Structures are given as C-alpha cells and as structure tokens.
Amino acid sequence: AIAITEQPVSVSVPAGYSFTLRCRAEGRTLLQYQWFCQHQSECCQIPGATNQDLPITAEQTQLYTCRVNDLYRNVVFSDWVKVEVHQCVARGLPPRLWRGEPVIVLNPTEQRVEVGKPLQLQCAAMGVPAPSYQWYRNGNLLEQHKRKKLWITHAKVSDSGTYLCCASNSHGEHWSNAVDVHVGEGETLPPAECLQLCHLMFVLATGKIALLVGNNCYQHHPNLMAPVKDVFELSRLLEQLGFQVVSLLD
C-alpha cells in the first residue's frame, strides 16, 4: 500500500558541501519517515531524521536509505544511495556558482605497461547527481568500461592508444585529460633518455602544421560550448609554439 514516488539520488561532492537528500512516498494513511546511514559495515538510524528531506553537510563517504511506514505497520525502504565525499579537491573547485554539473577532480595519468601486465586508469568527478562514467580509446567508445577505474587484467599491444573519460549527469558532461598508454615488450627507455629523445625530435621538426576540428552541434545530442573555447585556446597556444594552425568548427 506504500509506493515511493521520488527516490533519493547519489551525489559526489567536496568535503563541507551542504545539500539535501529527498524521499517522497504515497500511501493510504499517514506516512512516517526514518533515515539510516551506513559507513563501512555499520548501519545505524540517524537520530531525529524523520522528515522527507535529510539535510547533510558532507564529511565522509557514506550510504543512505529512508524507511517509510504507515499506521498499519507496512514498511518500504528507498534505494540505497551513496554520498561520495572528496576530501582533497584542487583549489578553485568547484566553481563559485556550481549547480551540480560534473567537475573532474582526478585525471588519468600516462602509462607504460608491459604486455600481460595489468593496466589501470582512474578518473573521478564531482556532481549532483553523482556522474556516470564512460571511457574512450582513440576516440572510440569502450562499451565495457563505465566506471571510474578502467582495469585491464592482462594488457595487450592493441590496448595502446590515447584514453580519456567522460563524466556526465543531468546537468551536462565534463571530459578528462587525454593520456597516452603504451603497451609493449622488453626494456623501455629511462624517463630522462625518453625526454631527451622527445626534445630532439621536437627541435628537428620543421613545417609544423596543426589541424584543429571542434564539433559543437550534434544531431542527437545537446549542443556543446566547450569546443569553441578549446579550439580558440589551443590555436593561440600552438601558434606560440611555432605551428601553422588551421581551425575548423562543425
């Protein structure tokens, strides 16, 4: 006889951020609410949390659920939701007028992995509701990789490429930095020698031309604003590095 009409939603927020979890239900009699939280393996009732809304100031990552019962002792529980708290957030994040859109707080890093060894990339973002994740390699969607951590148990040469992750929620999306992953066999150059080689190749390069293409309008996706700004900023940076730049939009 009790139906939950609005489930609470998971969030991913910085420490000290204040927000509200909501639960709504319908029944034939007066309904009573009670919120519970779980940290690690301990689940406990939150004293005084008997309203439909639960105000929270984020302190640590915890799980929450709401119990709803009527006068006939019928009981239902809401979905368990996760309040993920980021203790260490870069200065200036989130933006002053943050409305819950995804903000990347942890970017993946470049990897050099031997064949057969595990490959792990990690991305994290804040957002209200909590963002979902999607990984890409060389611009191609990786259907099986939809978590913060991309884990490949036994890396193959074909796993080499440029990886990036998209964090999205109902307010929009945010892309991580793109990072290169090299999977190979045998010895690799020490970092210092690799840096010297890269510098030498850069110095010897002549006639440097950069082609930038920013896709802003999509047929089946809301228009994006970032590509216009990104193309402008990258064009200016590459010109300072001596590139001839060709910039195209859509």
Side-chain angles (χ1 to χ4, degrees):
I2 303 175
I4 293 183
T5 57
E6 181 179 351
Q7 296 278 3
V9 296
S10 296
V11 301
S12 181
V13 295
Y17 185 78
S18 297
F19 61 98
T20 300
L21 291 179
R22 292 167 49 89
C23 181
R24 297 290 186 273
E26 293 179 350
R28 297 177 183 176
T29 68
L30 180 67
L31 299 178
Q32 297 174 330
Y33 294 80
Q34 177 61 60
W35 289 89
F36 295 80
C37 68
Q38 178 176 336
H39 178 62
Q40 296 179 348
S41 60
E42 182 179 354
C43 180
C44 60
Q45 179 175 302
I46 303 175
T50 56
N51 295 322
Q52 295 173 319
D53 295 341
L54 177 66
I56 295 176
T57 298
E59 295 180 356
Q60 59 184 349
T61 298
Q62 294 188 128
L63 300 176
Y64 292 84
T65 187
C66 184
R67 183 189 69 201
V68 185
N69 64 274
D70 62 15
L71 300 181
Y72 298 108
R73 297 188 179 180
N74 295 310
V75 175
V76 296
F77 282 84
S78 73
D79 295 339
W80 280 96
V81 294
K82 183 178 184 179
V83 174
E84 182 181 33
V85 179
H86 298 276
Q87 300 292 346
C88 299
V89 174
R91 188 174 182 179
L93 293 179
R96 283 185 61 188
L97 299 179
W98 189 50
R99 300 178 183 272
E101 64 274 13
V103 176
I104 300 292
V105 296
L106 177 64
N107 279 288
T109 57
E110 183 176 341
Q111 303 285 330
R112 297 185 68 87
V113 181
E114 291 185 21
V115 172
K117 299 292 184 180
L119 166 63
Q120 177 178 297
L121 295 172
Q122 188 169 356
C123 175
M126 298 183 301
V128 180
S132 57
Y133 297 87
Q134 178 61 64
W135 287 89
Y136 294 79
R137 182 182 68 237
N138 298 333
N140 298 314
L141 183 146
L142 298 174
E143 190 65 40
Q144 305 301 319
H145 297 284
K146 298 178 180 291
R147 298 177 179 272
K148 289 190 294 184
K149 290 184 180 180
L150 180 149
W151 176 263
I152 298 175
T153 307
H154 304 289
K156 306 184 294 295
V157 173
S158 59
D159 292 321
S160 298
T162 301
Y163 287 75
L164 75 166
C165 183
C166 177
S168 62
N169 65 11
S170 56
H171 296 293
E173 61 185 27
H174 197 172
W175 294 77
S176 73
N177 295 340
V179 296
D180 292 328
V181 172
H182 175 75
V183 181
E185 297 181 356
E187 295 291 329
T188 60
L189 286 175
E193 294 184 19
C194 182
L195 184 62
Q196 291 176 357
L197 179 60
C198 291
H199 179 70
L200 178 62
M201 293 174 64
F202 182 81
V203 171
L204 294 178
T206 58
K208 300 189 294 289
I209 300 175
L211 171 63
L212 300 180
V213 180
N215 288 325
N216 184 58
C217 299
Y218 291 85
Q219 185 175 359
H220 302 294
H221 192 283
N223 290 351
L224 306 177
M225 290 302 297
V228 178
K229 178 177 180 293
D230 291 345
V231 167
F232 174 78
E233 294 289 347
L234 285 173
S235 297
R236 188 169 59 178
L237 175 62
L238 289 169
E239 288 172 351
Q240 292 174 355
L241 294 175
F243 282 80
Q244 298 179 32
V245 181
V246 178
S247 299
L248 301 174
L249 291 175
D250 297 320

